[in-house]
Amino acid sequence: MQTFATTVDGIRIMLVDDEDSVREVLTEILSRRGWSVQAFSSAETAIVELKGNNYDIIIADVSMPGLSGIEFLKIAKQASPEVPVVIITGYPSIDLAVEAMKSGAVDFIAKPFKAEEIEIVVRKAVAGAKVTKSNDPDAGAHAIRKLPELARRRLEDKIKELSILHTIGESIDEVSQKDAIFEKTLDIAQIIADSDRSFIMVVEQDARALVVRAESGFEGPGIMGLAFSAQEEPFKSVIRNRCYSYMLVGNANDGPLAAIFSGMNNGCKRVPLLLAPMLMNRETVLILGIVGREGAADLSEDAITLLMNLCTKASLKLENIALSENIFSSIIGALNSLINALDARDTYTKDHSNRVTQYALKLAKAMECPQEMLDSISFAGPLHDIGKIGVRDDILLKKGIFSADEKEIIKNHVTRGEEILRPLNLMPAEKAIVLYHHERWDGAGYPTGLRGANIPLVARIFSVADTLDAMTSTRPYRSALSIDVTRAEILKCRGTQFDPSVVDAFFMSDILKGC
């Protein structure tokens, strides 16, 4: 621990960081301004010191061994709720800002930092705490007037210090699911607007209705799933003009906005409401709503600009997801067309892929396989013979015995199928279905001669399902076999062609009811 004498402002600072170099640099910067600094290398030792001393501000790192900065923050706010806490981080993000602010932090400092920025943060935090304690609105202003013009401009808007445009973009880019994007957008919006309530509406029913698909901060049942008329104001103008609407609502107990303000006693106070369009393909597809606190000050132009930037980033991410889904659907549609073309060439194997997929699903369920494997079977099962599209008709439809060369051509359908599907970046289990469904338990299968448990389980399951359908279906070279013959053959191949555990599951399941 290092201690420096107090001189100019009488500000006493607790500094907590496990990195020696950071503690030394920050202590030097802060002490040069005449402030007293007590530095600690761990949150645990700082907590002990905090209980017996008075500090004007606490600066703590986020990533520390043992007790983290956020955990320390929560304990510090319980022990000394009047002392402002500033978080230090080498990886600034909106997620961190949200968590830190919800836990009671007043600000955060990003590494690498500048001396001027640290001074601004410390002075603002201490001045704000004094204002709160004395309830003197001039105290903070007096402290701020001592700062340079640049510092005053930065202190005019809390958002400029917490939300940086590139940070918003990085935060949105971290997630890839719609619900996660909605949640992230709401969290960021509430930080920017300093609000407690936010929501996202989706334009539905041919632009006649707005349905709430995400919300944050609403008590009780909330407004999730509620529908609002897109033909009424203020929603109508936002959709039509593709421009935000900002208003101060005095009393919204009645009318189209009643549910949004439910539980807020705003009969005598104005409550800010911002409705911002989220555009996709130049059309308003969603609306972000921000409900301010009762009697809160108007949103600044900078805050609204950041909110609109947030809407743009989130909309672009959602649009990219939709585009990817459409492309993927188009690829699947094209593959299904290939499957249909294969079925049209070989009427004997028509619907073979779908039947095998259903048998494999029943087997996998009987073996209590995880949902991920069931999903892989559902997706890749119908595509497992896609490689046969490259087999000539004189071989594919041959009624006689295949020659050695023809057998090799038939065997190549598994590798050809994997090549066709490679651009889809299949999951390992999906790839295994296509590539290994003709491998054998005894190692005599193809294409690589895998043996026993080295064959992925999903392929072992598919091997039994594929054989079941092949034997119970009419082929160019023979008629369909009976159920009894099929059962006897599968049992005979237990431990040679098939995994014994899969065969056991086959006989214990009701799979034959569909044959």
Side-chain angles (χ1 to χ4, degrees), residues 363 366-367 490-491 494 499-509:
L363 273 175
M367 298 182 71
I490 291 177
L491 181 60
R494 181 184 184 275
D499 177 353
S501 65
V502 178
V503 174
D504 294 343
F506 166 77
F507 280 101
M508 293 180 63
S509 69

Side-chain angles (χ1 to χ4, degrees), residues 151-447:
R152 289 204 301 272
R153 289 199 303 269
R154 291 193 62 191
L155 288 172
E156 287 175 355
D157 198 335
K158 176 182 178 180
I159 305 307
K160 287 185 177 180
E161 300 165 4
L162 290 178
S163 303
I164 305 171
L165 294 180
H166 81 271
T167 309
I168 293 176
E170 290 177 355
S171 183
I172 294 296
D173 285 341
E174 289 174 357
V175 293
S176 58
Q177 300 296 322
K178 292 179 183 178
D179 290 343
I181 295 173
F182 286 166
E183 181 180 352
K184 187 81 68 174
T185 301
L186 295 181
D187 282 341
I188 297 173
Q190 287 182 210
I191 287 292
I192 292 175
D194 191 24
S195 69
D196 293 326
R197 294 184 176 188
S198 59
F199 55 90
I200 291 177
M201 296 172 156
V202 178
V203 180
E204 297 183 0
Q205 300 176 15
D206 297 328
R208 299 191 64 84
L210 285 162
V211 181
V212 178
R213 295 304 182 195
E215 58 152 319
S216 176
F218 289 84
E219 299 178 356
I223 61 173
M224 180 70 76
L226 289 185
F228 296 79
S229 174
Q231 306 301 309
E232 295 185 27
E233 297 295 353
F235 308 117
K236 182 179 179 180
S237 296
V238 175
I239 296 174
R240 182 184 60 203
N241 300 329
R242 299 187 291 274
C243 182
Y244 75 87
S245 175
Y246 181 71
M247 66 203 75
L248 296 172
V249 182
N251 191 332
N253 294 327
D254 299 315
L257 302 177
I260 295 174
F261 293 94
S262 176
M264 299 181 71
N265 299 318
N266 63 313
C268 300
K269 296 180 180 179
R270 300 186 306 170
V271 177
L273 173 65
L274 176 75
L275 299 173
M278 299 176 66
L279 307 179
M280 295 176 62
N281 197 24
R282 300 183 180 181
E283 295 294 332
T284 303
V285 177
L286 305 102
I287 290 180
L288 169 66
I290 302 293
V291 182
R293 295 188 177 93
E294 300 174 43
D298 290 353
L299 280 175
S300 67
E301 291 184 5
D302 288 340
I304 293 177
T305 298
L306 285 174
L307 287 168
M308 295 307 297
N309 181 274
L310 169 63
C311 288
T312 300
K313 296 287 187 182
S315 299
L316 182 60
K317 183 72 173 184
L318 292 168
E319 190 169 13
N320 288 339
I321 291 175
L323 180 61
S324 298
E325 290 176 348
N326 288 337
I327 293 174
F328 189 77
S329 297
S330 297
I331 293 174
I332 296 302
L335 292 174
N336 285 330
S337 295
L338 288 176
I339 293 172
N340 293 334
L342 179 61
D343 287 346
R345 290 174 61 203
D346 183 9
T347 57
Y348 291 99
T349 59
K350 185 174 178 60
D351 293 330
H352 162 74
S353 296
N354 289 327
R355 290 195 303 269
V356 174
T357 299
Q358 294 307 311
Y359 294 152
L361 284 172
K362 288 184 178 181
L363 273 175
K365 290 177 182 178
M367 298 182 71
E368 299 182 349
C369 295
Q371 184 62 43
E372 292 81 1
M373 185 177 294
L374 299 180
D375 292 340
S376 292
I377 292 173
S378 296
F379 174 73
L383 305 173
H384 78 282
D385 273 343
I386 193 69
K388 287 184 178 180
I389 197 72
V391 179
R392 302 194 313 267
D393 282 353
D394 62 304
I395 298 177
L396 182 66
L397 306 179
K398 186 175 181 179
K399 296 183 179 181
I401 298 176
F402 293 120
S403 66
D405 290 341
E406 290 170 341
K407 287 182 180 178
E408 290 303 314
I409 292 174
I410 290 291
K411 288 181 179 180
N412 285 338
H413 82 275
V414 294
T415 54
R416 187 182 297 271
E418 190 275 332
E419 290 171 358
I420 292 173
L421 299 175
R422 193 173 297 165
L424 292 181
N425 294 320
L426 298 179
M427 300 291 288
E430 296 165 350
K431 179 180 177 180
I433 291 173
V434 177
L435 193 56
Y436 302 132
H437 67 275
H438 282 295
E439 296 287 3
R440 290 172 52 109
W441 184 255
D442 59 8
Y446 64 87

